[in-house]
Amino acid sequence: MNQSSSFWEHLDALRGVILRVLAGVVLVSIVAFCFKDELFSILLAPKESDFWTYRMLDRLSALFSSEPMMADFSVRLINTQLAQQFLTHMQISFYTGFVVVFPYMLYELFCFVSPALYHREKFYVKRVVIGGYVMFMLGVLLCYYMVFPFTFRFLATYQVSEQVENQIVLDSYIDTFVMLSLMMGVLFELPVLSWLFAKLGLITSEFLARYRKHALVGILVVTAFITPTSDVFTLLIVSMPIYLLYEVSILIIRK
């Protein structure tokens, strides 16, 4: 596509981009749908007391104390709607397809708009696209191994009274996992967005450094909201990477 193309030629090119991306998402979603056991074994792993994060914390606590940091727990998910398990299977398969094909989607969009960009603008867009995807996936991984396990463990085992038994519904588990994953992925876009805003002249490294203390308080508040556990250790484990990203943003802009 070039700049002299007509409106309908642009529209036809965009339609081609959308169809190729949708075909990729559908194809990967079908493959993910066929690997149900492997997919849900990964997704449901944080609800088990032998999850990797819990075992690592137990080993860490063994260095300082004879008692394990994480006590054994058991949470059983239930389903209350006839078609919910099948719909959840389709939903997670689609999310998997979208995440896997997302880099290709960004590539197709970049190819579509690149003829209208100057050389320097292309350079900026490439860095934002690549950096944004990498940081998003790092945020999702942190959520999977740290944020979601602690959040789920606390909420699923919390009881106002021993007379009230928790029965966690499958779609509640899935919705919480997806929401926290998206939230952490967006929070990890901080360095990329800071760099882009700095290039647009909206912020400076001096501005971020001046409000460092305010940012720390804001990060602690957000972290306390997404990880409603009662211990300071979990709060620090989750908030420190986000605050380090804030400091990294200052360094990136300063260069």
Side-chain angles (χ1 to χ4, degrees):
M1 186 187 71
N2 52 58
Q3 294 179 341
S4 60
S5 301
S6 67
F7 170 78
W8 296 110
E9 289 173 330
H10 284 290
L11 191 62
D12 186 62
L14 179 60
R15 182 173 63 88
V17 169
I18 295 174
L19 290 177
R20 287 192 295 272
V21 171
L22 286 178
V25 172
V26 170
L27 179 62
V28 177
S29 298
I30 292 174
V31 174
F33 188 88
C34 295
F35 288 89
K36 179 186 68 174
D37 293 339
E38 292 79 4
L39 185 62
F40 279 88
S41 66
I42 296 174
L43 183 63
L44 300 178
K47 79 178 186 65
E48 304 295 338
S49 58
D50 62 346
F51 184 57
W52 181 88
T53 301
Y54 307 139
R55 289 189 284 108
M56 290 300 103
L57 289 178
D58 282 339
R59 293 178 183 178
L60 180 63
S61 66
L63 299 176
F64 306 98
S65 172
S66 59
E67 297 183 0
M69 181 181 298
M70 308 297 291
D72 289 341
F73 73 104
S74 177
V75 177
R76 184 169 174 264
L77 300 181
I78 64 171
N79 177 58
T80 59
Q81 300 179 29
L82 180 63
Q84 188 59 48
Q85 292 203 52
F86 178 73
L87 294 176
T88 299
H89 187 189
M90 293 186 63
Q91 176 189 5
I92 294 302
S93 299
F94 174 78
Y95 285 154
T96 303
F98 178 80
V99 171
V100 172
V101 177
F102 190 65
Y104 174 70
M105 180 181 72
L106 295 178
Y107 170 77
E108 284 284 356
L109 290 176
F110 175 75
C111 292
F112 177 75
V113 302
S114 59
L117 300 176
Y118 295 107
H119 177 73
R120 191 169 184 82
E121 291 174 334
K122 292 180 181 180
F123 173 75
Y124 288 159
V125 170
K126 284 182 180 178
R127 297 188 67 174
V128 169
V129 167
I130 297 174
Y133 181 74
V134 170
M135 296 307 298
F136 181 84
M137 293 308 300
L138 287 177
V140 171
L141 288 175
L142 180 66
C143 176
Y144 179 76
Y145 284 106
M146 296 300 299
V147 178
F148 180 73
F150 288 124
T151 302
F152 174 77
R153 185 189 180 98
F154 172 77
L155 295 178
T157 58
Y158 183 84
Q159 290 178 284
V160 295
S161 171
E162 293 183 357
Q163 302 179 37
V164 183
E165 180 183 359
N166 286 333
Q167 291 187 327
I168 312 302
V169 183
L170 175 63
D171 56 344
S172 176
Y173 179 96
I174 298 298
D175 290 344
T176 303
F177 178 83
V178 172
M179 180 205 55
L180 289 178
S181 297
L182 291 176
M183 189 178 298
M184 290 303 299
V186 171
L187 286 175
F188 263 61
E189 297 293 335
L190 180 60
V192 178
L193 294 177
S194 298
W195 178 82
L196 179 62
F197 290 156
K199 292 300 180 182
L200 296 175
L202 300 178
I203 60 174
T204 62
S205 59
E206 292 76 14
F207 174 83
L208 295 181
R210 187 184 313 125
Y211 290 96
R212 181 182 281 115
K213 295 180 180 179
H214 301 77
L216 178 58
V217 173
I219 289 172
L220 290 173
V221 170
V222 172
T223 304
F225 173 74
I226 64 178
T227 56
T229 57
S230 57
D231 60 287
V232 179
F233 176 77
T234 303
L235 183 67
L236 293 177
I237 284 291
V238 179
S239 60
M240 284 307 296
I242 301 176
Y243 179 73
L244 288 176
L245 289 175
Y246 186 87
E247 294 293 338
V248 169
S249 301
I250 296 176
L251 296 177
I252 291 175
I253 296 176
R254 188 172 294 167
K255 291 182 178 180

